Amino acid sequence: MTGDVRPGGGELVGGLRKLATSFVVPGPAGVAIRDRLRVSAADTVALAEVGVYLGSLAAGDLAERSRQGLAHDAAGWAMRKRALTGRSSARWAGSITKATHDQWALARRGQAAHLAWLRGQIASIEARLTRPLGAKADKRAGLARGYATRGEWHAKSRRLQTLKDRLMVVEAERAAGRVHVVRGGKRLANARHHLEAAGLSEQAWRERWEAGRMFLTADGESGKRFGNETIRVTDTGQVSVKLPAPLAHLANAPHGRYVLDATVAFKHRGAEWLDRITANRAVAYRIHHDTVRGRWYVTASWQRAAAPVLPLQTALARGVVGVDMNDDHLAAWQLDVHGNPVGEPQRYFYDLTGTAEHRDAQLRHALTWLLHHTRWCGAAAIAIEDLDFTDGTSREKHGRNKRFRRLISRFPTAKLKARLVSMAAEQGVAIVAVDPAYTSRWGAQHWQKPMTTPRRKISRHDAASIAVGRRALGHPIRRRTAPPHPDQSDRGGHRTVQARPEIRRREEPRRHLPGPRTRCAPPGGGSKAGDQGAQHRSGHPAEQECWQQDSLPLSL
């Protein structure tokens, strides 16, 4: 990705954005594992009936919570829970009300983000409308560019009024505590009116809709048998569900429980899950139906103790692997503690087209190879850009470049970071987040051509991975000049002069330092220290003078 177009925090200093400090990303706070339930026909009927019934209770509770708005308090929560307890059970009521509260809070956060987006769009359009047509942007003066034509200016002025009207509506809803939530999904609800375009029949759509609105989620309880009394999974994999009171006639076990014919065997992190349920520690379960595959799944989740975050210097003690994220691959390069590239650049490709499951599998595969490479090269940290495209996808910033907007909109920034942090925590690899500003531009400027060889072609993204790694290590992106040749006066002393931006293959001569010289150079003879014309074979002044070689000594 192009580093100069990535948005982020910080204010402009001398025309450049002030860079944020790199930091070690905290590890995940929870764990979730999933396994398939190979249910029988009787299990399918029972689970569907229980899920639809509890889903109707959850929908009613969400509507009641939305009506209460900002006036909701602990007393209102207790009243809702008591009303649900008589129609299901105390534990089911607790799970439903908690899920409702979380859903309402999520909708409020989304509403706040939508408000911020509307205000940002309005400010951007107003700034551009005040500029003359065709005016160029001036970052130093803080002036936006003007619109290209009168027609575009008129269309944007109409859009400005539309956004202002929408802003007034959203602000009024937020002040009243009103949110909009569609149980089952807004996209699926809209697909009901366009079944042919969605490639669905009415029956297939109805099955997906009912499956999306089911509620079969139970929170865990520490100290209870196997960590959950509502949906219980034993150490042998037996699954049983506590039935709501109106569905007690479906019970096939004592105490109003239904035991499934299917069993569970968690392959991933199965030992950790078994340790928790054996000690009767809380484990939450969710049973859901995938109508596309015709399968039932159970997901187990629990919280884990927060691991202490490593200090930045400790995480980078063995170097780092810099990673540049792109829309089709990850470009990675190992750097030592001094910021020097080691070995060869690595590229891990993925395909973001197709279904969400396919995209997620592609990301997992690429990240797995990245972690394997990190452990193989001996590094203990991965440097990655702290990307956030919430502002960069706006049409006001890249309105004419539709291809670039589509590229950014499909870029899995949040999912990739969350997946990488979760997978790296299991491998003992730290994730260091760095400011993404100018990494691609400066990386290509200072590293792309010097690292290119006749047998190795370096891309702009490979050079950006070096820039990301050097920023994580605290080094400037601009490379330093190489130490002098051992035959020169200071015998390989370390240089401190930065290479000039236009320098590619050949380094600039060393600056003259006043004072006495060491070794064979007499004091005051350093005036010629910067004269390296002898390295240029043609046109050197010494070639224009006459000279004669002394005769060789006679052999003894």
Side-chain angles (χ1 to χ4, degrees), residues 380-407:
I382 295 176
I384 194 170
E385 297 160 305
D386 190 13
L387 295 176
D388 185 8
F389 289 129
T390 55
D391 181 46
T393 56
S394 66
R395 65 179 68 183
E396 296 305 318
K397 190 168 186 179
H398 307 289
R400 294 182 177 272
N401 196 344
K402 293 184 178 180
R403 178 179 176 274
F404 187 73
R405 284 172 53 200
R406 285 194 298 267
L407 183 149

Side-chain angles (χ1 to χ4, degrees), residues 65 70 98-119 170 173-174 177-181 390:
R65 174 65 184 88
L70 300 178
K98 183 180 181 299
T100 297
H101 177 77
D102 294 341
Q103 184 65 65
W104 188 87
L106 178 62
R108 288 283 290 182
R109 292 194 296 271
Q111 192 179 60
H114 186 49
L115 274 176
W117 179 84
L118 286 173
R119 290 165 181 161
V170 177
E173 290 178 346
R174 183 164 183 80
R178 188 181 304 112
V179 298
H180 298 274
V181 179
T390 55

Side-chain angles (χ1 to χ4, degrees), residues 303-536:
Q303 292 181 348
R304 56 168 33 171
V309 180
L310 288 177
L312 184 61
Q313 298 301 325
T314 304
L316 301 174
R318 291 185 290 168
V320 69
V321 175
V323 178
D324 179 66
M325 295 190 297
N326 302 279
D327 66 323
D328 61 345
H329 75 283
L330 298 175
W333 208 324
Q334 179 193 1
L335 281 76
D336 59 16
V337 294
H338 306 290
N340 302 315
V342 179
E344 298 294 326
Q346 306 294 325
R347 300 171 188 172
Y348 306 105
F349 293 89
Y350 45 78
D351 183 13
L352 296 180
T353 60
T355 63
E357 292 80 6
H358 173 75
R359 295 194 299 268
D360 190 61
Q362 290 282 306
L363 289 179
R364 289 199 309 269
H365 183 73
L367 294 178
T368 299
W369 279 105
L370 174 62
L371 291 172
H372 286 174
H373 170 69
T374 303
R375 297 188 63 187
W376 175 80
C377 66
I382 295 176
I384 194 170
E385 297 160 305
D386 190 13
L387 295 176
D388 185 8
F389 289 129
T390 55
D391 181 46
T393 56
S394 66
R395 65 179 68 183
E396 296 305 318
K397 190 168 186 179
H398 307 289
R400 294 182 177 272
N401 196 344
K402 293 184 178 180
R403 178 179 176 274
F404 187 73
R405 284 172 53 200
R406 285 194 298 267
L407 183 149
I408 293 181
S409 63
R410 74 173 187 175
F411 199 84
T413 53
K415 181 176 292 186
L416 191 147
K417 288 190 295 185
R419 176 74 66 182
L420 178 59
V421 170
S422 177
M423 296 175 65
E426 300 302 319
Q427 301 290 336
V429 177
I431 304 299
V432 180
V434 304
D435 195 310
Y438 316 111
T439 52
S440 292
R441 181 190 299 179
W442 291 349
Q445 180 181 1
H446 299 292
W447 291 96
Q448 185 175 5
K449 195 170 183 180
M451 299 303 296
T452 301
T453 64
R455 297 185 179 182
R456 182 179 65 186
K457 185 177 181 181
I458 301 302
S459 68
R460 182 184 182 93
H461 308 300
D462 298 328
S465 65
I466 300 178
V468 172
R470 287 181 65 88
R471 182 167 290 173
L473 291 166
H475 301 307
I477 294 179
R478 180 182 298 180
R479 60 193 176 91
R480 294 182 183 273
T481 57
H485 194 273
D487 290 341
Q488 296 185 12
S489 59
D490 50 3
R491 288 289 178 179
H494 187 72
R495 289 200 178 193
T496 59
V497 182
Q498 297 285 5
R500 297 177 63 86
E502 64 270 14
I503 298 300
R504 289 298 182 261
R505 294 183 181 274
R506 180 179 57 83
E507 300 295 350
E508 194 177 58
R510 182 183 180 90
R511 292 181 182 178
H512 166 61
L513 298 178
R517 305 288 291 179
T518 59
R519 295 180 60 81
C520 61
S527 59
K528 294 292 186 178
D531 185 8
Q532 293 184 359
Q535 297 180 6
H536 304 276

